[in-house]
Amino acid sequence: MSAAGETVAAEIVSALVAVRARAYSPYSNHPVGAMVESDSGARYFGANVEVAHYKGLCAEASAIAAMVSAGERRLRHVYVIGPGEHPCTPCGDCRQRIREFADAETRIHVVDARGRLLKRYSMEELLPDAFGPENLSH
Ligand SMILES: [Zn+2]
C-alpha cells in the first residue's frame, strides 16, 4: 500500500493537474482530478463537478463515466490528485464504483502535483471484502 519515495511519470502528473484545474468546486473549494486507464491502454479523465444541492460528482466517478461511455469496462489504473499535498484518497462511494470495474490487477494511485506517489492500493486494500457484481445471485 505504501509508496514512499516513488514518483509518477511527468506526463501523467501534468494531465492530472490540467484536469484538476477544470474542476467545478465552488462549494468545497476542493478541486480533484482523476485519470483512469482501461485495459486497452486508453486514458479517460474526470474532475469533480459540484452542484448547489451538494450532491456533486467526484472526479473518479467522472473519469469512470467517460470510460464506460467510450465502451470500455475494465480498469487497469486509477490516478487521483487533490488540491494539496495530503493524500486525496477515493471516498467510499468511489471505492465501490471503482470496484465495479476493477480486478485483482487494478491499482489505485494517489499523487500530488510534484509527482510524488503518496499512496498506491490494490482493490482489496482499498475496499476489503467488497460486495461486487459476482455477489449478486440471479
Ligand atoms: Zn468520491
Side-chain angles (χ1 to χ4, degrees), residues 101-122:
F101 303 101
D103 60 28
E105 309 303 313
T106 304
R107 293 294 177 266
I108 299 92
H109 314 263
V110 178
V111 308
D112 72 9
R114 292 196 292 172
R116 294 184 303 177
L117 180 62
L118 303 176
K119 297 277 185 180
R120 181 195 301 116
Y121 304 93
S122 67

Side-chain angles (χ1 to χ4, degrees), residues 60-125:
E60 301 93 313
S62 182
I64 289 170
M67 180 189 80
V68 172
S69 298
E72 302 217 53
R73 297 287 187 272
R74 303 308 313 165
L75 287 168
R76 283 285 153 264
H77 296 281
V78 177
Y79 290 88
V80 184
I81 188 168
E85 296 192 353
H86 62 284
C88 183
T89 55
C91 75
D93 184 61
C94 284
R95 291 175 192 222
Q96 187 69 50
R97 197 175 303 273
I98 293 166
R99 168 66 180 83
E100 184 74 18
F101 303 101
D103 60 28
E105 309 303 313
T106 304
R107 293 294 177 266
I108 299 92
H109 314 263
V110 178
V111 308
D112 72 9
R114 292 196 292 172
R116 294 184 303 177
L117 180 62
L118 303 176
K119 297 277 185 180
R120 181 195 301 116
Y121 304 93
S122 67
M123 193 64 242
E124 184 63 23
E125 291 169 331

